[in-house]
Amino acid sequence: MNKTQPYSLFSEFDINLFKAGKHYRLYEKLGAHLTEVDGIKGVYFAVWAPSAKAVSVIGDFNYWLEGEHPLFVRWDGSGIWEGFIPGVDKGTKYKYKIHSHHNDIKTEKADPFAFYCEKPPHTASVVWNMQHKWKDTRWMGSRSEKNRLDGPFSVYEVHLGSWRRAEGNRMLTYIELADELVAYVKEMNFTHVEFMPVMEYPYDPSWGYQLTGYFAPTSRFGKPEDFMVLVDKLHQAGIGVILDWVPSHFPSDAHGLGFFDGTHLYEHPDIRKGYHPDWKSLIFNYGRNEVRSFLISNAVFWLDKYHIDGLRVDAVASMLYLDYSRKEGEWEPNIYGGRENLETISFLKELNEEVYKNFEGVQTIAEESTSFPMVSRPTYIGGLGFGMKWMMGWMHDTLEYFKKEPIYRRHHQNDITFSMTYAFTENFMLPLSHDEVVYGKHSILGRMPGDEWQRFANLRLLYSFMFTHPGAKLLFMGGEFGQSGEWNFEQSLDWHLLEYDYHKGIKNTIQALNKLYRKQPALYEKQFTAEGFEWINYGDHENSVLSYIRKGNSPENRLIVVCNMTPVIRENYRIGLPSAGKLKEIFNSDDTAFGGSGVSNKRIKTENIAWNGREYSASLTLPPLGVVVFEVKNEVQDK
């Protein structure tokens, strides 16, 4: 094998951008790139290691021997080592052997910019180029319409390794998922899927949240282009793809980013900012320009090369606060004496500005659990610039409420209505995510009180309340058919439960709710603004009944929603209405097709009887533990 030859893909402009933290396409320069120099095929390697005094590429092509193929350090102080190695081909396994100036330390690292990695527990990078002929032109051309904030946004959260398994507990491949998962998501009427992290990670119990290969889809399920096929098939089926993205921390595995060149290169050198006590992991140095370029380039990479439609940014709260999970004396205030991490705030704003500027129709979503202001507001008015934020308060309060026996719910009406006091301070997504069905919390169904019928009725009630509450929706896999046990990442979901009518009824309920949500503009056009919601009565504590109006852009787009949080059938239940007309029942969670008892309403004419502070009203029959949704037809429309 020929020795390394001097070669570079970097221009002076690239270097200046990199040093300034403004190079957002680093994956086109750093890493391993198949190329041809003077008619000779090989690979250009480039790695950032400013504290190194020597860097070699070691791999199966040179028997993993240090010094056989050294890289050349650039003269411009960028800290980039590079070179062209003739004869190296696609599929070659490699790492970087880095000899540090710092205490003469030697590290052996996977390529931070590798497009493909060995299947864990092996840790080498693999030379690769991604070749896929995309067939999603129609989706990409209409993505702005499909992904807009005033459109339906119902997300199915998926852990690829445990959604469904083949015989012998074998995980499905990307290609198999491209058939089975796509068909299922389409059948269930979800608008989007969200994949828990697909970037390469070494440790299965981390569920993908401890990344070592930020630019490589995990090889557990196939090759990079196989993952492209999965995304492509979802797009062709009209389904958007969101990826969990983890810029908040990374593991200290020997082959990973930690202590990369014998120094704290990617992580903050101060343990108070660079070490995460909860997850025993390392925290990026958001104030270092080159690290910001690395992270923003990574976000851009998935949107660019894999046609991803959105990024759900993990653990934003842990990034925003210097005292997150730290005791007194374990953190240092910012320059103004506050607890906010100013470097993180600056980084997140820059990230969102770059994403929204360059990719039409995408969304970024913050998993942020505190009251930090303006997370989903534009940066030009002082916000962080995210498109949406998870509504963790709604999730917590709602699950706590539904755990209670219905007889006690009258004492907790404020818990279930409280979310509406702040529902429009952000663009909220309502999440019932994987975090809510692990570590002894029980499944969502497992939280529901009562006998078997009541437990399933309560679950239908919860989902119906969720889908008629303002905000986008997210449901973790298994929840859509009432998974009984907690989620176990080492095995398939309990699909056999669909042999039972009650579980089949939950599945039918979610199908119908997704269809209702997509069909009714009143449920999505103003889902993030106060103009889209109006209480009829939130104060009927004694009966544990809620009633409200959902509104779309057109005055005709109005829905009446009534929730009966008890197992008592309520006949002749009167609610006030904004105008005369007729009510047509269009959804009832007590439908027999869902496993309900079939208590329903025929077409109801309003009466000129004042009620709930309104001139008109109607008398309804409320099903037990049920939600009823009515279309409003005024007198003019009815003629």
Side-chain angles (χ1 to χ4, degrees):
M1 181 74 64
N2 294 326
K3 297 298 182 184
T4 313
Q5 299 175 11
Y7 186 75
S8 183
L9 290 179
F10 282 90
S11 67
E12 184 178 349
F13 182 62
D14 287 321
I15 296 299
N16 290 336
L17 287 176
F18 178 54
K19 288 180 176 180
K22 302 296 183 183
H23 201 308
Y24 305 134
R25 302 292 190 279
L26 282 177
Y27 53 88
E28 295 176 350
K29 308 292 179 178
L30 288 169
H33 298 272
L34 288 158
T35 189
E36 191 173 307
V37 176
D38 297 330
I40 300 173
K41 293 181 178 179
V43 174
Y44 164 76
F45 292 93
V47 63
W48 179 50
S51 291
K53 63 181 177 182
V55 178
S56 295
V57 182
I58 58 174
D60 53 10
F61 66 95
N62 64 10
Y63 304 101
W64 303 93
L65 293 176
E66 179 185 359
E68 289 291 304
H69 291 89
L71 296 180
F72 305 99
V73 66
R74 290 185 61 91
W75 55 269
D76 49 26
S78 62
I80 293 171
W81 296 73
E82 61 187 354
F84 173 74
I85 303 179
V88 176
D89 204 354
K90 183 176 180 177
T92 299
K93 298 171 186 175
Y94 72 100
K95 285 185 178 180
Y96 296 116
K97 190 76 173 185
I98 301 171
H99 193 170
S100 178
H101 278 295
H102 182 68
N103 293 332
D104 217 31
I105 291 170
K106 288 188 177 182
T107 61
E108 193 171 291
K109 296 292 186 177
D111 188 346
F113 285 85
F115 297 144
Y116 190 28
C117 301
E118 275 192 295
K119 186 176 180 179
H122 302 292
T123 58
S125 303
V126 181
V127 174
W128 208 256
N129 63 343
M130 298 159 293
Q131 295 178 326
H132 174 70
K133 188 174 181 180
W134 290 92
K135 300 175 183 176
D136 63 349
T137 305
R138 184 175 179 182
W139 168 267
M140 296 299 282
S142 63
R143 181 167 65 180
S144 294
E145 179 70 16
K146 302 284 188 183
N147 233 22
R148 69 192 195 276
L149 291 176
D150 60 351
F153 219 99
S154 179
V155 182
Y156 186 55
E157 186 189 22
V158 176
H159 177 262
L160 289 175
S162 58
W163 176 70
R164 182 175 287 162
R165 292 204 173 187
E167 191 174 346
N169 205 33
R170 177 183 65 81
M171 292 186 289
L172 299 183
T173 65
Y174 292 127
I175 298 298
E176 289 170 325
L177 289 161
D179 289 329
E180 297 186 34
L181 178 63
V182 174
Y184 182 75
V185 175
K186 189 172 179 64
E187 174 195 354
M188 293 302 296
N189 296 318
F190 285 99
T191 63
H192 294 73
V193 293
E194 179 183 316
F195 294 137
M196 292 167 67
V198 299
M199 302 82 179
E200 193 59 84
Y201 58 99
Y203 186 53
D204 284 347
S206 79
W207 311 332
Y209 289 97
Q210 299 267 6
L211 305 181
T212 51
Y214 271 76
F215 291 82
T218 178
S219 52
R220 287 169 174 79
F221 314 117
K223 299 173 182 176
E225 51 265 43
D226 297 340
F227 181 58
M228 289 177 167
V229 170
L230 174 55
V231 174
D232 206 346
K233 288 284 186 71
L234 284 161
H235 283 173
Q236 290 173 53
I239 299 161
V241 182
I242 302 165
L243 295 188
D244 264 11
W245 185 56
V246 192
S248 48
H249 65 117
F250 58 92
S252 57
D253 293 59
H255 68 288
L257 296 177
F259 215 56
F260 190 81
D261 61 354
T263 67
H264 299 291
L265 188 62
Y266 287 91
E267 68 271 23
H268 201 287
D270 186 339
I271 193 171
R272 294 172 296 180
K273 293 183 180 180
Y275 179 74
H276 204 299
D278 285 356
W279 303 315
K280 308 294 186 290
S281 55
L282 304 174
I283 301 172
F284 285 103
N285 185 351
Y286 304 107
R288 188 163 192 168
N289 287 343
E290 297 90 343
V291 173
R292 291 164 77 105
S293 278
F294 169 81
L295 287 171
I296 296 176
S297 290
N298 185 242
V300 166
F301 170 79
W302 293 100
L303 304 173
D304 177 19
K305 297 299 182 183
Y306 284 88
H307 292 199
I308 298 304
D309 307 297
L311 298 172
R312 177 266 196 185
V313 183
D314 182 60
V316 172
S318 75
M319 300 169 67
L320 288 174
Y321 294 102
L322 296 165
D323 63 344
Y324 187 90
S325 285
R326 299 181 192 278
K327 300 173 185 174
E328 191 173 347
E330 295 179 349
W331 63 282
E332 184 181 41
N334 62 36
I335 57 173
Y336 303 110
R339 54 195 281 258
E340 297 80 13
N341 189 326
L342 303 180
E343 293 169 344
T344 293
I345 292 169
S346 168
F347 161 72
L348 291 172
K349 289 181 177 182
E350 190 174 341
L351 162 73
N352 284 315
E353 286 171 356
E354 181 63 18
V355 165
Y356 281 102
K357 179 175 71 176
N358 288 282
F359 296 94
E360 190 175 356
V362 303
Q363 297 292 346
T364 59
I365 305 161
E367 191 239 340
E368 205 286 310
S369 55
T370 75
S371 57
F372 192 93
M374 301 178 69
V375 171
S376 59
R377 296 293 180 258
T379 58
Y380 61 79
I381 61 170
L384 291 183
F386 286 94
M388 283 179 266
K389 170 182 170 172
W390 275 22
M391 198 175 191
M392 306 296 278
W394 172 88
M395 175 276 297
H396 179 268
D397 291 346
T398 300
L399 291 180
E400 280 298 309
Y401 177 88
F402 272 89
K403 279 166 53 177
K404 293 176 171 61
E405 292 284 350
I407 193 171
Y408 300 119
R409 288 178 179 171
R410 61 183 176 173
H411 304 299
H412 298 275
Q413 186 100 337
N414 289 339
D415 295 346
I416 200 71
T417 61
F418 179 68
S419 62
M420 292 311 304
T421 65
Y422 64 93
F424 307 111
T425 58
E426 301 276 3
N427 298 334
F428 279 120
M429 174 177 280
L430 314 183
L432 292 175
S433 74
H434 66 275
D435 280 326
E436 309 319 314
V437 293
V438 289
Y439 298 144
K441 296 178 183 176
H442 305 294
S443 64
I444 304 297
L445 175 64
R447 288 171 161 88
M448 300 297 109
D451 59 25
E452 184 180 43
W453 188 91
Q454 289 186 358
R455 287 171 59 232
F456 281 91
N458 266 304
L459 187 59
R460 296 192 302 271
L461 172 61
L462 166 59
Y463 289 155
S464 303
F465 173 65
M466 173 184 183
F467 272 78
T468 57
H469 188 288
K473 329 295 176 189
L474 179 138
L475 183 62
F476 183 57
M477 64 182 198
E480 80 281 6
F481 59 80
Q483 173 102 357
S484 300
E486 288 190 344
W487 169 54
N488 182 350
F489 73 93
E490 294 182 301
Q491 65 186 42
S492 171
L493 296 178
D494 295 331
W495 293 102
H496 66 275
L497 292 175
L498 286 171
E499 297 171 11
Y500 302 96
D501 289 341
Y502 281 140
H503 291 277
K504 196 181 298 180
I506 297 295
K507 181 186 174 190
N508 292 342
T509 304
I510 293 296
Q511 274 182 305
L513 284 168
N514 273 325
K515 185 175 181 181
L516 179 75
Y517 180 41
R518 296 174 72 152
K519 184 179 179 182
Q520 295 293 335
L523 293 178
Y524 61 76
E525 285 183 339
K526 294 185 175 181
Q527 60 189 337
F528 300 126
T529 64
E531 292 79 15
F533 179 90
E534 182 181 341
W535 283 114
I536 295 174
N537 186 2
Y538 60 85
D540 188 0
H541 299 255
E542 284 305 310
N543 291 313
S544 296
V545 173
L546 301 176
S547 51
Y548 45 90
I549 306 170
R550 293 298 310 277
K551 308 173 190 177
N553 292 331
S554 168
E556 288 77 36
N557 288 335
R558 291 176 300 166
L559 297 180
I560 306 298
V561 183
V562 189
C563 308
N564 178 12
M565 304 296 191
T566 71
V568 178
I569 299 173
R570 303 201 181 277
E571 297 180 336
N572 302 314
Y573 187 89
R574 188 168 293 277
I575 63 169
L577 292 169
S579 62
K582 292 183 179 180
L583 301 183
K584 177 185 177 184
E585 185 179 285
I586 60 170
F587 176 84
N588 186 329
S589 68
D590 193 48
D591 195 304
T592 55
F594 305 149
S597 58
V599 174
S600 63
N601 293 267
K602 302 225 190 281
R603 197 163 172 133
I604 298 167
K605 189 172 176 61
T606 61
E607 299 174 84
N608 197 4
I609 300 174
W611 206 262
N612 299 138
R614 300 169 187 273
E615 185 178 352
Y616 300 94
S617 62
S619 180
L620 312 175
T621 299
L622 305 187
L625 294 171
V627 174
V628 192
V629 182
F630 299 94
E631 271 185 337
V632 182
K633 300 289 186 181
N634 62 36
E635 299 287 4
V636 175
Q637 285 176 304
D638 216 47
K639 293 175 183 177

